[in-house]
Amino acid sequence: MNATLEKKIRARSARVGVVGLGYVGLPLAVEFARAGFATLGVETGPARLAALRRGRSYVEDVSGAEVARLLGAGRLSLSADGRGLERCDALIICVQTPLRKTKEPDLSAVIGACGALSRRLRRGQLVVLESTTYPGTTDEVVRPALEASGLAAGRDFSLAFSPERVDPGNAKWRIPNTPKVVGGIDAASTRLAAALYGAVVRQVVPVSSAKAAELVKLLENSFRAVNIALVNEMAQVCDRLGLDVWEVVGAAATKPFGFMPFWPGPGIGGHCIPKDPQLLSWKMKALNFEPRFIQLATTINGAMPEYAAARIARALNGAGKAVKGSRVLVLGVAYKPGVSDARESPALDVMHLLAEQGARVEYHDPHVPRAEAGGRVWRRRALTDAALRGADLVAILTAHREVDYARVARRARLVFDARNATAGLAGRVERL
Ligand code: SAJ
């Protein structure tokens, strides 16, 4: 059974099903289709399906033309309800795993996908979970959900975990050149998952179990969250010492070994770094262990929007202005440079905090036409000279390549720069 599947994978005659066509699943489905596999993409979101069918991509790293080409060539097909998964040899689950308000993982999308799969599961298939989740999910949640089909994992079908390593907006590190970790519930599943990803990724990194692979991902993102929290704390240390945190981190970054620079900011956003470490915290609490680094990082990073708003208030005060009634133009609301995604963006928290204090807040972001926070909706303001001059303070919260910060520093009466976008520029600028 496994030898047959492995042979089909090597011959690229295996059919691949990808469940969930978001910023992880869509690039992955396109990659398999491009590599010559007949690929079925399952997407329950009608707007997403309609866009793809019209050859439009809603994921920045995937071109609509490429989707149309693959659909036209019959390499890629789409389904709203999983019909056709029974004909697939390999099934990859790429659905979201958000946190509930109670900070508990919400696996409803994973369980829903497994339900759709188990109704169509057949002997000889390989199932891989890519959704970022707490260690143990593949064994304790996915496996039983799939075995509701009456088939047994390891005997009738193979099961593995492989963390996604998609960095939205990163032109350098794409699927083919980003090493892929895979871990199966048994050696045969690991081997099959390694063969599958080996067809589209140059380097596959097999590990001893699905649980190990789940933890690898959480370590990767906890590493980032903790180090970002460290420099965010350094920014507050430098503020009290009258030092420039950007100079201090920049100088430390010249150390050619044993150091990796991270940069402070008004907080952390996106779907990964704020959430993934908390998945591990939740799991470990149930095991009576508290990963304190993660908790501390979550607290420090989570308090940065308040700190940034307080620094803005201090800058306005220095100019004889109260926050209340001041016109603040926020520059950059996406969660990181170069992306149009403002979900979970700390900039929105800062805007909300300032508006709550009575500031008249507007924003500009070349990638984000509309923003929503705390029940308020903002439409992007054009970055005209009038907008810059008319603001009592311009707050740079995300630094996009397209913005001319020299012009901002020249025109604005006062700038609070939380991303060092105005480094070396003259003007009334206060920095984080
Ligand atoms: N951030 C800082 N300072 C830093 C780095 C990031 O404040 O030094 C902030 C960003 O502004 C953003 C948040 O943290 O608000 C997250 O930034 P990120 O660069 O980690 O961006 P993500 O969330 O797109 O992270 C992705 C992750 N990929 C996935 O798991 C989906 C992560 O694994 C990658 O390591 C990361 O890209 C990357 O390397 O850029």
Side-chain angles (χ1 to χ4, degrees):
M1 180 178 73
N2 291 344
T4 309
L5 177 50
E6 196 165 341
K7 214 177 289 157
K8 289 176 81 173
I9 290 171
R10 296 204 190 290
R12 304 200 175 190
S13 61
R15 300 176 65 86
V16 177
V18 178
V19 180
L21 298 182
Y23 76 93
V24 174
L26 183 60
L28 190 63
V30 164
E31 209 57 52
F32 274 106
R34 198 187 277 151
F37 290 87
T39 305
L40 172 68
V42 179
E43 174 52 57
T44 52
R48 284 180 164 183
L49 264 189
L52 294 173
R53 287 195 168 120
R54 284 203 308 272
R56 277 193 42 247
S57 165
Y58 41 81
V59 171
E60 275 158 290
D61 302 332
V62 173
S63 85
E66 177 76 341
V67 171
R69 183 181 72 78
L70 293 166
L71 286 172
R75 280 280 174 77
L76 177 65
S77 55
L78 301 170
S79 156
D81 59 6
R83 224 188 304 267
L85 284 175
E86 63 283 353
R87 289 199 308 278
C88 292
D89 303 294
L91 306 158
I92 306 172
I93 303 172
C94 303
V95 296
Q96 76 277 13
T97 50
L99 282 178
R100 297 185 197 285
K101 288 270 173 270
T102 55
K103 300 295 174 207
E104 288 184 6
D106 173 359
L107 294 185
S108 52
V110 170
I111 293 165
C114 290
L117 279 186
S118 72
R119 289 191 291 277
R120 295 183 169 84
L121 204 59
R122 58 169 174 73
R123 282 174 53 77
Q125 285 177 319
L126 163 67
V127 180
V128 182
L129 176 66
E130 286 221 359
S131 307
T132 302
T133 182
Y134 62 82
T137 302
T138 303
D139 298 284
E140 300 157 13
V141 176
V142 173
R143 179 171 187 159
L146 294 176
E147 291 184 329
S149 61
L151 298 177
R155 189 192 64 201
D156 301 319
F157 66 94
S158 300
L159 179 59
F161 182 83
S162 179
E164 51 93 356
R165 275 183 172 170
V166 173
D167 178 17
N170 189 324
K172 179 169 182 246
W173 297 106
R174 311 298 298 263
I175 290 176
N177 67 346
T178 302
K180 197 84 162 74
V181 171
V182 297
I185 59 160
D186 55 21
S189 299
T190 304
R191 182 185 164 84
L192 276 173
L196 176 69
Y197 285 104
V200 292
V201 170
R202 267 172 239 154
Q203 185 190 348
V204 174
V205 182
V207 292
S208 58
S209 65
K211 194 182 253 189
E214 288 161 339
L215 187 57
V216 164
K217 172 68 179 180
L218 296 185
L219 171 59
E220 286 169 14
N221 284 2
S222 300
F223 166 78
R224 289 182 72 72
V226 168
N227 281 286
I228 293 165
L230 174 63
V231 290
N232 279 335
E233 187 167 73
M234 274 300 137
Q236 299 171 67
V237 164
C238 286
D239 181 39
R240 285 164 176 74
L241 293 175
L243 294 174
D244 176 343
V245 66
W246 307 98
E247 175 197 27
V248 171
V249 175
T254 61
K255 181 180 179 192
F257 51 85
F259 185 81
M260 177 179 181
F262 285 82
W263 304 98
I268 58 173
H271 355 265
C272 310
I273 308 306
K275 169 201 60 137
D276 297 350
Q278 301 200 58
L279 292 165
L280 184 56
S281 284
W282 176 82
K283 173 70 178 178
M284 295 319 293
K285 273 208 186 83
L287 299 174
N288 288 325
F289 180 82
E290 186 180 359
R292 284 164 293 169
F293 270 110
I294 291 174
Q295 288 299 81
L296 185 56
T298 303
T299 304
I300 291 174
N301 289 330
M304 286 313 282
E306 296 241 355
Y307 177 71
R311 288 293 305 275
I312 288 167
R314 193 167 81 187
L316 282 168
N317 189 51
K321 292 269 178 190
V323 174
K324 189 173 170 64
S326 285
R327 285 157 302 180
V328 176
L329 176 65
V330 166
L331 208 35
V333 296
Y335 83 85
K336 73 174 184 179
V339 302
S340 57
D341 190 349
R343 280 175 303 169
E344 312 289 323
S345 171
L348 298 179
D349 296 329
V350 176
M351 288 166 68
H352 173 62
L353 288 165
L354 294 172
E356 286 291 285
Q357 294 173 59
R360 292 150 60 189
V361 181
E362 294 187 294
Y363 87 93
H364 173 79
D365 183 309
H367 294 263
V368 182
R370 180 180 179 278
E372 207 169 321
R376 292 180 179 85
V377 178
W378 285 274
R379 292 223 161 278
R380 171 172 55 200
R381 171 93 196 261
L383 194 61
T384 59
D385 284 357
L388 287 167
R389 284 204 192 96
D392 295 304
L393 178 141
V394 172
I396 302 172
L397 300 182
T398 298
H400 288 299
R401 231 190 359 262
E402 301 88 333
V403 175
D404 175 357
Y405 292 102
R407 172 175 163 245
V408 171
R410 272 197 312 275
R411 297 274 188 280
R413 293 184 209 175
L414 178 59
V415 176
F416 176 72
D417 181 359
R419 292 290 187 186
N420 204 30
T422 59
L425 297 175
R428 284 284 320 273
V429 179
E430 296 207 17
R431 282 192 196 88
L432 189 69

